[in-house]
Amino acid sequence: MADKKARLTVDGLEGEIELPVYSGTEGPDVIDVRPLTGQGLFTYDPGFVSTAACESKLTYIDGEKGILLHGGYPIEQLAQHSDYLEVCYLLLNGELPTPEQKEKFNNTVTNHTMVHEQLSQFFKGFRRDAHPMAIMCGVVGALSAFYHDSLDINDAHHREVCAYRLIAKMPTLAAMCYKYSIGQPFMYPQNELSYAENFLRMMFGTPCGDYKVSPTLARAMDKIFILHADHEQNASTSTVRLAGSSGANPFACIAAGIAALWGPAHGGANEAVLVMLNEIGDEANIPEFIDRAKDPEDPFRLMGFGHRVYRNFDPRAKVMKKTCDEVLAELGIENDPLLKIAKRLEQIALEDDYFVQRKLYPNVDFYSGIILKAIGIPTNMFTVIFALSRTIGWISHWNEFHSSPNKIGRPRQLYTGPKLRDYPTK
Ligand code: SDX
């Protein structure tokens, strides 16, 4: 119910238009602009810079203060005290699980980690050097060809089964992408391992012998999963919601999210950061790249910097930077040359007026690539890790959308093309 009103006067229109204003539990009030259509008006907001596309209870970001909450819990506390599957439960159910609920949830996920044996045939159709995100778009979309038993989007139980299947199978499919690219056999999940341990073993283990997962790397991997879990209505999540609004099945919607995430302006940035750091190569070359990033004529941007919402530090980047130091110290590679370039780049950029005025701070992608590289993940798998982690956010938003009355998403436009005209007849 609107507790406030906005009043709009428009040149050429009689009187004023009254628009309801709603307040959330946190964040800016929103003006309900739906009555404008009746007045023959649309709002205009390319890139949705100031548009609230929906109501949601899952995640809240305060861009000015650098705050990120899942179910009201700060990301720093979840990264320190929780684990990824517990955060999955929180996003799907709105509350942290009791110990019994957590055990049941973990067991259900664990027992869904295998994929249909025929899915492995799909990989054989790809070139070995295919980008793993291209393969993920394909095989995740293909899951809808295997799971016809739970595709009724209006059935809450079917939606829950899809969520379990996707959370459970993404690590298996991600590891299969990597194994396929290096010509090694696929590894089956092991039910006695934790989510992150299972993933790392499927990535780096072989059938030729036991593979012991380092607890440090497993903990770092789980933390990376948590830090990428959800982030309000970002481009890929908005894509999943829009695809879901047409009634498309959840696997197709998640495949659409994977495609949207792949772009270097979004989830593809973590791979692009490593490419950029390698291109910089030496701290002495940093000024040249800073100048290029500032040059409006040069399309080059400092990958891992800037954010549509954060006008302060991305809280995830702070946790990621701390984890980076811990992991590299544990591995005895604290002098990683790329980390040194990254830290120097961050220091210079944060003192430079261009970045300070535009409030361009390091985002989640700036340090994640360095940790992933230290864990042994190849650069072209970085965005796959992001997609794996974000699956819970995507499916939670998709589920939230279908849990209440909804409409197909259908934005309008400002048309500036040719007026009506007749086809020239001879
Ligand atoms: C993610 O939305 C989410 O929540 C995303 C995400 C999630 O968890 O889902 O947080 C994950 O996508 C993080 C962002 C990863 N992308 C990158 O690191 C790529 C580099 N960053 C930029 O492409 C950019 O900062 C964006 C895309 C992230 C944000 O773009 P906006 O909000 O559209 O900002 P803008 O392009 O309008 O930039 C404002 C100004 C411009 O200069 P002026 O026109 O004012 O002169 O800042 C400049 C831009 O040119 N600018 C940069 C820059 N980012 C913005 N200049 C140099 N380097 C950069 N990185």
Side-chain angles (χ1 to χ4, degrees):
M1 199 43 203
D3 42 14
K4 294 179 217 162
K5 297 273 185 219
R7 288 168 189 80
L8 183 67
T9 56
V10 179
D11 291 350
L13 279 186
E14 280 293 302
E16 61 183 24
I17 304 167
E18 209 172 71
L19 301 170
V21 175
Y22 308 122
S23 303
T25 42
E26 295 280 3
D29 287 350
V30 296
I31 301 175
D32 183 344
V33 293
R34 287 174 288 186
L36 290 181
T37 316
Q39 303 288 335
L41 293 166
F42 296 149
T43 57
Y44 184 62
D45 184 18
F48 307 119
V49 176
S50 50
T51 291
C54 63
E55 176 186 340
S56 179
K57 299 179 180 351
L58 304 181
T59 290
Y60 172 68
I61 300 171
D62 183 324
E64 293 305 323
K65 296 184 187 138
I67 289 171
L68 168 58
L69 308 177
H70 294 314
Y73 298 103
I75 189 66
E76 298 87 344
Q77 293 181 27
L78 291 171
Q80 187 174 356
H81 303 299
S82 185
D83 60 57
Y84 179 68
L85 285 186
E86 186 173 75
V87 172
C88 288
Y89 184 97
L90 171 63
L91 285 166
L92 277 172
N93 299 285
E95 295 296 339
L96 290 169
T98 61
E100 297 72 27
Q101 289 167 331
K102 181 171 180 171
E103 188 184 359
K104 182 168 181 280
F105 185 79
N106 288 8
N107 289 340
T108 307
V109 170
T110 299
N111 288 290
H112 280 80
T113 46
M114 273 208 302
V115 293
H116 193 291
E117 197 62 16
Q118 272 178 240
L119 251 174
S120 51
Q121 305 306 325
F122 276 80
F123 287 78
K124 296 194 171 66
F126 291 101
R127 287 171 46 139
R128 293 279 179 180
D129 62 354
H131 195 289
M133 282 296 279
I135 299 177
M136 287 298 280
C137 288
V139 292
V140 173
L143 288 175
S144 42
F146 289 85
Y147 298 114
H148 298 287
D149 63 340
S150 62
L151 292 181
D152 178 357
I153 58 174
N154 300 308
D155 179 329
H157 176 64
H158 280 206
R159 296 201 299 270
E160 186 185 29
V161 170
C162 289
Y164 278 124
R165 281 179 163 149
L166 281 157
I167 297 164
K169 298 180 194 308
M170 286 297 275
T172 310
L173 294 171
M176 289 169 81
C177 287
Y178 174 59
K179 284 305 196 188
Y180 184 70
S181 73
I182 57 174
Q184 284 190 2
F186 298 141
M187 295 292 286
Y188 288 96
Q190 297 293 305
N191 289 354
E192 71 277 8
L193 297 179
S194 73
Y195 192 83
E197 286 171 338
N198 225 344
F199 173 64
L200 290 174
R201 183 184 164 280
M202 289 189 282
M203 282 286 291
F204 302 119
T206 71
C208 312
D210 278 351
Y211 179 82
K212 284 306 288 162
V213 179
S214 143
T216 303
L217 298 190
R219 179 72 194 129
M221 195 75 255
D222 193 81
K223 204 172 278 191
I224 286 182
F225 291 155
I226 292 173
L227 292 172
H228 290 84
D230 189 41
H231 214 238
E232 285 191 4
Q233 308 306 321
N234 58 84
S236 54
T237 300
S238 298
T239 301
V240 170
R241 276 183 173 257
L242 196 55
S245 75
S246 75
N249 76 72
F251 304 106
C253 295
I254 300 302
I258 293 172
L261 184 77
W262 193 1
H266 190 13
N270 55 15
E271 178 177 358
V273 166
L274 254 289
V275 170
M276 176 186 74
L277 292 176
N278 279 306
E279 207 182 330
I280 292 173
D282 185 291
E283 290 183 44
N285 301 329
I286 290 177
E288 174 209 334
F289 282 83
I290 296 271
D291 290 343
R292 283 188 56 197
K294 291 155 60 173
D295 177 357
E297 302 308 313
D298 189 329
F300 174 78
R301 287 195 165 175
L302 223 45
M303 290 289 113
F305 272 79
H307 199 277
R308 170 61 56 78
V309 178
Y310 289 121
R311 294 308 181 213
N312 192 317
F313 248 89
D314 180 336
R316 302 168 297 176
K318 282 185 176 176
V319 178
M320 204 68 88
K321 183 174 177 179
K322 186 164 163 287
T323 308
C324 203
D325 288 337
E326 288 161 5
V327 170
L328 297 190
E330 281 272 334
L331 297 173
I333 44 176
E334 52 267 55
N335 294 323
D336 178 290
L338 290 184
L339 178 64
K340 286 173 73 178
I341 294 174
K343 286 190 169 177
R344 183 75 187 118
L345 182 60
E346 176 188 2
Q347 188 187 10
I348 295 175
L350 295 184
E351 289 158 5
D352 185 298
D353 257 358
Y354 172 92
F355 294 89
V356 173
Q357 278 164 15
R358 290 166 179 79
K359 300 188 176 184
L360 301 176
Y361 293 91
N363 57 49
V364 67
D365 294 302
F366 188 63
Y367 282 104
S368 56
I370 296 167
I371 305 176
L372 291 171
K373 177 176 170 291
I375 291 175
I377 309 273
T379 307
N380 69 359
M381 281 288 293
F382 288 4
T383 312
V384 173
I385 305 284
F386 196 150
L388 186 173
S389 314
R390 185 55 55 89
T391 295
I392 182 56
W394 291 331
I395 200 68
S396 299
H397 280 276
W398 175 83
N399 184 50
E400 183 178 62
F401 175 86
H402 284 298
S403 300
S404 52
N406 55 67
K407 296 168 78 71
I408 188 169
R410 206 289 188 199
R412 303 305 300 271
Q413 63 177 16
L414 172 67
Y415 176 69
T416 55
K419 281 184 171 297
L420 175 68
R421 55 183 170 171
D422 292 326
Y423 185 84
T425 49
K426 300 281 176 284

